[in-house]
């Protein structure tokens, strides 16, 4: 599916990561693997350090912190927000929706649409699509898109397949109408629900409620330990999906836009791991330095927040400049869902990566 929009722009972006850093070499002894093999895996996959939120900190806490940071920049105030979208796999509660909790904490006006979207790796693309759709309606001029996840709370620390990769983060993206822009923004989205369960947390919902039994961690047969309450991924299936479908999507997007890879300044993709992104760059036929792959090694895979972390960490200062950068954004994974778009970005008021201060929540 391709949805086309005109006159939309990002004006502010902040990504928030916890202060707590966990390093792969300090974690090796918790895995039931040979140390030499683990260090070799570190090199191939790009494992180094990742940011982990304390148990008491939720995705909405990180997002709230980021929004308050933006408000203090004085580029807008809370009453300017006409819609709030919260995208996460780790909400505060089943009921009520986290977007309404954030609405109350942030003191937003009552005439403000609020809703949650349960999305993962493609969640930033899904969120931009939803923000663009809302901005097509009279009365909506400014949308606050919140992406956040604290999935480290649901990953077993003895699971070498998942724990070294995962990271926690939140982001806030302010999206507005832009009367000066005439270039269409085409959002490409696809879903393959028949393979949805290759990435899952089996227990914890109504299909399989959490219990004493679902909390028991077991060796799953390859030396990794996890319970039914923990994140589980069929790595080979996910890798094959990404390598097959993402290059085809990129080709379709470029053809639709009448562009070639050299016309794109940077390919700012979701960050599953360094190895997968290097293979993607090679398959698409773009230089690896045009597709940054350093987020997992510095912060971890924070699900729908990896693109905002990628943008702020690697291009933060450049995106504040008036010279426009043409970016191809793409997310892919949980669902299985994948999507992308080409966006010209320049002159952002804010494009910062900040640390969450648990001792000073007033930012």
């Amino acid at each position: 599916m391709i949805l086309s929009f005109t006159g939309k722009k990002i004006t502010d972006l902040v990504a928030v990561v916890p202060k707590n850093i966990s390093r792969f070499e300090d974690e090796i002894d918790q895995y039931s693997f040979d140390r030499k093999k683990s260090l070799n895996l570190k090199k191939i996959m790009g494992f180094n350090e990742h940011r982990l939120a304390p148990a008491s900190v939720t995705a909405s806490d990180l997002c709230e912190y980021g929004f308050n940071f933006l408000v203090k920049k004085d580029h807008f105030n809370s009453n300017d927000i006409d819609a709030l979208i919260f995208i996460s796999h780790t909400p505060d509660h089943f009921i009520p929706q986290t977007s309404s909790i954030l609405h109350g904490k942030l003191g937003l006006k009552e005439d403000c649409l609020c809703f949650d979207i349960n999305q993962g790796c493609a969640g930033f693309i899904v969120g931009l699509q939803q923000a663009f759709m809302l901005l097509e309606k009279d009365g909506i001029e400014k949308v606050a898109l919140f992406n956040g996840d604290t999935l480290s709370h649901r990953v077993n620390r003895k699971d070498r397949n998942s724990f070294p990769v995962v990271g926690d983060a939140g982001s806030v993206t302010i999206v507005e109408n832009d009367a000066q822009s005439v270039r269409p923004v085409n959002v490409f989205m696809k879903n393959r629900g028949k393979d949805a369960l290759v990435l899952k947390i089996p227990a914890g919902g109504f299909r399989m409620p959490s219990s004493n039994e679902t909390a028991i961690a077991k060796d799953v047969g390859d030396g990794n330990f996890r319970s039914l309450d923990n994140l589980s991924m069929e790595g080979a299936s996910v890798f094959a999906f990404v390598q097959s479908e993402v290059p085809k999507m990129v080709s379709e997007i470029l053809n639709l836009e009448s562009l070639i890879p050299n016309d794109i300044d940077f390919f700012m993709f979701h960050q599953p791991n360094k190895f997968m992104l290097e293979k993607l760059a090679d398959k698409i036929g773009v230089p690896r330095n045009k597709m940054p792959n350093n987020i997992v090694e510095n912060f971890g895979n924070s699900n729908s927040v990896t693109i905002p972390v990628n943008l702020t960490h690697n291009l933060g200062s450049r995106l504040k400049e008036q010279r426009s950068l043409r970016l191809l954004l793409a997310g892919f994974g949980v669902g299985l869902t994948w999507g992308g778009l080409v966006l010209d970005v320049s002159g952002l008021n804010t494009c910062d990566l900040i640390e969450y201060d648990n001792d000073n929540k007033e930012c």
Side-chain angles (χ1 to χ4, degrees):
M1 178 179 289
I2 298 169
L3 299 177
S4 185
F5 305 92
T6 303
K8 306 291 182 285
K9 66 178 179 179
I10 295 172
T11 57
D12 292 88
L13 174 62
V14 62
V16 185
V17 295
K19 277 189 172 183
N20 181 49
I21 298 173
S22 183
R23 294 176 174 83
F24 182 75
E25 292 193 21
D26 296 332
E27 299 166 357
I28 286 180
D29 291 340
Q30 69 194 25
Y31 307 125
S32 59
F33 293 91
D34 176 82
R35 185 177 183 88
K36 183 178 180 180
K37 290 182 178 179
S38 291
L39 290 174
N40 186 53
L41 186 68
K42 170 189 173 182
K43 182 179 179 180
I44 294 171
M45 304 299 285
F47 298 158
N48 185 29
E49 58 187 42
H50 49 153
R51 301 299 183 103
L52 306 178
S56 60
V57 173
T58 69
S60 74
D61 292 331
L62 300 175
C63 291
E64 178 188 358
Y65 193 83
F67 186 86
N68 288 333
F69 174 84
L70 289 180
V71 169
K72 287 186 177 180
K73 292 285 186 178
D74 287 331
H75 298 305
F76 66 91
N77 63 57
S78 298
N79 286 329
D80 294 333
I81 303 302
D82 300 307
L84 187 163
I85 305 168
F86 178 72
I87 297 184
S88 180
H89 279 322
T90 55
D92 285 12
H93 310 281
F94 281 148
I95 299 175
Q97 61 271 29
T98 305
S99 57
S100 288
I101 295 173
L102 280 167
H103 177 276
K105 287 184 175 181
L106 299 174
L108 305 187
K109 62 189 179 185
E110 290 188 353
D111 287 332
C112 178
L113 293 175
C114 295
F115 56 95
D116 292 21
I117 299 177
N118 183 3
Q119 258 291 352
C121 310
F124 188 66
I125 306 300
V126 172
L128 288 179
Q129 171 195 297
Q130 293 295 317
F132 295 163
M133 291 173 68
L134 288 170
L135 288 165
E136 299 277 276
K137 301 300 180 182
D138 292 340
I140 297 183
E141 297 295 333
K142 196 184 296 285
V143 177
L145 169 62
F146 293 77
N147 292 80
D149 266 309
T150 51
L151 270 176
S152 71
H153 300 164
R154 300 303 298 271
V155 176
N156 195 294
R157 290 176 176 263
K158 292 185 178 181
D159 185 352
R160 195 187 64 174
N161 284 357
S162 298
F163 187 70
V165 180
V166 73
D168 302 323
S171 67
V172 184
T173 310
I174 304 301
V175 190
E176 303 181 22
N177 284 310
D178 180 12
Q180 305 302 316
S181 175
V182 295
R183 180 185 172 277
V185 178
N186 299 297
V187 184
F188 180 104
M189 291 299 312
K190 282 197 174 184
N191 281 275
R192 185 180 295 168
K194 68 183 181 66
D195 294 324
L197 295 179
V198 301
L199 260 166
K200 61 182 182 296
I201 298 176
F206 291 104
R207 179 68 61 188
M208 184 188 297
S210 291
S211 65
N212 291 336
E213 289 73 24
T214 65
I216 298 172
K218 301 176 182 178
D219 187 334
V220 294
D222 58 1
N224 288 294
F225 287 78
R226 71 180 72 98
S227 73
L228 292 172
D229 289 328
N230 296 144
L231 179 69
S232 173
M233 176 176 67
E234 297 176 22
S237 297
V238 174
F239 180 83
F241 152 72
V242 170
Q243 297 300 314
S244 170
E245 299 305 325
V246 175
K248 288 193 291 187
M249 175 183 72
V250 170
S251 179
E252 289 186 51
I253 291 172
L254 292 176
N255 288 337
L256 177 67
E257 302 277 355
S258 299
L259 299 172
I260 61 174
N262 283 344
D263 294 325
I264 303 297
D265 293 306
F266 292 98
F267 294 77
M268 304 302 286
F269 283 12
H270 166 61
Q271 301 276 307
N273 58 62
K274 178 180 179 180
F275 177 76
M276 191 178 294
L277 289 163
E278 287 181 338
K279 294 299 182 184
L280 264 182
D282 295 345
K283 194 157 188 178
I284 293 169
V286 300
R288 291 182 177 182
N289 62 4
K290 291 185 71 170
M291 187 185 295
N293 58 36
N294 59 351
I295 298 305
V296 166
E297 67 188 78
N298 287 292
F299 305 102
N301 176 349
S302 51
N303 220 9
S304 76
V305 200
T306 59
I307 295 177
V309 174
N310 193 4
L311 290 167
T312 54
H313 178 63
N314 288 305
L315 298 178
S317 59
R318 295 185 64 177
L319 293 177
K320 297 176 188 177
E321 298 171 0
Q322 292 306 311
R323 178 187 176 276
S324 181
L325 290 179
R326 180 158 288 173
L327 310 177
L328 200 159
L329 311 180
F332 39 85
V334 179
L336 293 170
T337 305
W338 64 111
L341 71 156
V342 173
L343 197 63
D344 293 333
V345 185
S346 65
L348 297 191
N349 299 319
T350 311
C351 190
D352 295 337
L353 178 68
I354 64 174
E355 289 187 331
Y356 176 82
D357 188 347
N358 195 47
D359 297 323
N360 182 18
K361 298 179 183 179
E362 297 301 319
C363 191

